[in-house]
């Protein structure tokens, strides 16, 4: 698995630059190991994907231009660069939901060097980037917090009530009321 001068694999670079979930999925299917590898700063692709969303590091590249302006240029001038457009926050959140799900499931299925809850060299885990960047999407936050890779995420009270509904009631399980 190839790495660049910062220790990043193609999956790291794709996640750090907000590649589509289809690209992330294709890279993971080709080789799941990089999903659990850290770069030189101990960041997994999951760290980088959440950081990309949390700090508004997104720009959609179109084929009209090969030079990518920085977000600083967009924020400073308020104008769009020819050949580039800034996606809406909702579009980025929707794409990040799928990317986080793919990367976390891969990390849970193929444990390796870095776990989804591990901190990088700055002391941040993916959930810390989300909190620091004011990511309030409950779906993303649940995926970053829960140990399970299951999509069936529910609150403890909801899960307990579902379990009690499945528990067969016996004569002894009902309390008698005295008259």
């Amino acid at each position: 698995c190839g790495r660049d001068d910062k220790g990043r694999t193609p999956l790291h670079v794709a996640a750090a630059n907000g590649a589509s979930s289809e690209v992330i999925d294709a890279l993971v299917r080709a080789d799941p190991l990089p999903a659990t590898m850290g770069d030189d700063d101990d960041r997994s692709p999951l760290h980088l994907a959440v950081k990309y969303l949390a700090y508004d590091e997104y720009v959609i590249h179109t084929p009209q231009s090969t030079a990518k302006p920085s977000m600083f240029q967009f924020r400073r001038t308020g104008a769009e660069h020819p050949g580039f457009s800034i996606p809406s926050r909702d579009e980025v959140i929707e794409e990040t939901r799928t990317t986080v799900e793919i990367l976390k499931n891969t990390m849970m299925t193929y444990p390796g060097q870095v776990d989804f809850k591990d901190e990088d060299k700055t002391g941040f885990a993916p959930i810390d980037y989300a909190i620091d960047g004011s990511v309030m999407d409950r779906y993303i936050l649940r995926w970053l917090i829960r140990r399970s890779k299951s999509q069936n995420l529910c609150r403890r009270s909801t899960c307990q009530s579902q379990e009690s509904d499945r528990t067969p009631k016996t004569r002894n399980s009902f309390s008698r009321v005295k008259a």
Side-chain angles (χ1 to χ4, degrees), residues 24-146:
I24 300 294
D25 188 50
L27 289 168
V28 165
R29 286 177 186 272
D31 185 5
L33 182 62
T36 59
M37 295 170 66
D39 62 11
D40 289 348
D41 292 321
D42 295 332
R43 291 184 180 129
S44 69
L46 182 60
H47 284 84
L48 298 170
V50 174
K51 184 175 181 266
Y52 172 84
L53 169 66
Y55 301 129
D56 298 332
E57 297 178 351
Y58 42 89
V59 174
I60 294 179
H61 181 265
T62 60
Q64 297 172 354
S65 175
T66 57
K68 180 178 175 181
S70 70
M71 283 304 295
F72 175 74
Q73 291 170 318
F74 280 119
R75 289 189 184 128
R76 190 179 59 166
T77 64
E80 289 195 23
H81 187 277
F84 294 91
S85 63
I86 300 175
S88 73
R89 180 90 170 154
D90 290 340
E91 291 171 325
V92 175
I93 287 172
E94 186 63 36
E95 194 65 30
T96 304
R97 285 177 181 165
T98 306
T99 296
V100 166
E101 183 178 335
I102 291 167
L103 292 172
K104 170 122 181 253
N105 277 339
T106 304
M107 293 176 95
M108 297 294 291
T109 304
Y110 303 96
Q113 174 189 359
V114 180
D115 188 62
F116 77 92
K117 63 184 178 6
D118 286 350
E119 296 176 352
D120 60 20
K121 287 186 178 176
T122 65
F124 273 39
I127 187 69
D128 298 318
Y129 283 113
I131 292 168
D132 190 57
S134 299
V135 173
M136 297 301 190
D137 185 77
R138 288 181 178 171
Y139 186 85
I140 291 173
L141 294 174
R142 277 189 243 148
W143 271 100
L144 295 175
I145 293 170
R146 303 281 179 152

Side-chain angles (χ1 to χ4, degrees), residues 143 146 148-155 159 162 166:
W143 271 100
R146 303 281 179 152
S148 171
K149 67 178 181 175
S150 169
Q151 288 184 350
N152 187 11
L153 302 174
C154 59
R155 282 191 231 130
C159 291
Q162 288 173 354
R166 284 185 243 136

